[in-house]
Amino acid sequence: MKNTALTDVHIKLGAKMVPFAGYNMPVQYAGINAEHEAVRKAVGVFDVSHMGEFILKGDNALALIQKVSSNDAAKLYDGKVQYSCLPNEDGGIVDDLLVYRIDEKTYMLVVNASNIDKDWDWITKYNTLGVDMQNISDRTSLLAIQGPKAAEALQSLTEIDLASMDYYTFKKGHFAGVDNVLVSATGYTGAGGFEVYFDNQYAAQIWDAIFKAGEPFGIKPIGLGARDTLRLEMGFCLYGNDIDDTTSPLEAGLGWVTKFSKEFTNCEALQAQKQAGVSRKLVGIEMIDRGIPRHDYEIVDAEGAIIGKVTSGTQSPSLQKPIGMGYVDTAFAKEGTEIYIKIRDNKIKAKVAKPPFYK
């Protein structure tokens, strides 16, 4: 089991620790609902240092990214971030990721913790152009400071004008007394905020500085439990649940990051799928009758015939109602369609909803 540079800090704070993607991670501190509310209404800090970071450098760095990813990275400029995915050769997804353009010949890819080795091997397989690849995951810490008060809470720590940063852009600068920190206006919560990348050796210093600066704003440490409820309220996909090696980006509603204006892995097959139409779609689920949709529960029609399965579900802390996501046959994918979730052999009424659930 790997630790992050802040594992001891989480244990001292009384976090409930769980194994996640090979790391010892905090799932909650005060409790999921309280932490969820802190991020929606004020500001919270997630240690997400388990995520993977690769640096790709050289004349052909962009060409390699274009080959392995579905979005068009040629649209990026220095300081811009892009959401994308790595299609496999069988119609599924190797991983979803963020692409950072540091300069014309240097990019950082941020990948899911559970897929670091898989993604590295996948990209390496296509690196026939001599691109210099560095896996900096084990020496890089990442904190996500999320919530409507994030910019105010952090501003005293940096000369970067945080409030003026556009969504999905980043800057490098001085932060909490440390040089060369990458501050990114990104996140997985829908609450606004920043993600901050730096070398492990500065983790405790930066963590302490953030909590000191954020104290007047009610800053709180947040675990992976609330990270999941926050992203689900926004309808953001979680790799391993809502997308995986068997789900196509088009089925998953990721057509907006699948650009057929360029060639990429398996693009012909995906383009054919787009033209023919997908047989199933990832949809939002809102319960009508009482019950919580859980991962792998069957979705059935009024007659009880199986039409899909739930990929994610929870009781939404912000909305105080059960929500979820799942794949259904395309005929049942229209917003408002009545569907049923099979919970302990009972058919529980629900309807198809369009994320985000939390507006």
Side-chain angles (χ1 to χ4, degrees), residues 119-139:
D119 292 359
W120 179 262
D121 292 346
W122 183 260
I123 298 165
T124 301
K125 183 173 93 164
Y126 286 97
N127 184 15
T128 55
L129 301 168
V131 176
D132 177 35
M133 292 175 55
Q134 299 166 37
N135 182 353
I136 61 166
S137 307
D138 285 344
R139 61 179 168 90

Side-chain angles (χ1 to χ4, degrees), residues 91-144:
I93 299 170
V94 178
D95 203 4
D96 62 335
L97 74 162
L98 293 181
V99 181
Y100 285 71
R101 176 166 147 158
I102 293 164
D103 62 45
E104 195 185 350
K105 296 181 181 181
T106 314
Y107 294 80
M108 179 170 76
L109 309 184
V110 181
V111 303
N112 284 298
S114 53
N115 290 333
I116 293 172
D117 293 340
K118 181 175 87 161
D119 292 359
W120 179 262
D121 292 346
W122 183 260
I123 298 165
T124 301
K125 183 173 93 164
Y126 286 97
N127 184 15
T128 55
L129 301 168
V131 176
D132 177 35
M133 292 175 55
Q134 299 166 37
N135 182 353
I136 61 166
S137 307
D138 285 344
R139 61 179 168 90
T140 304
S141 288
L142 170 57
L143 296 178

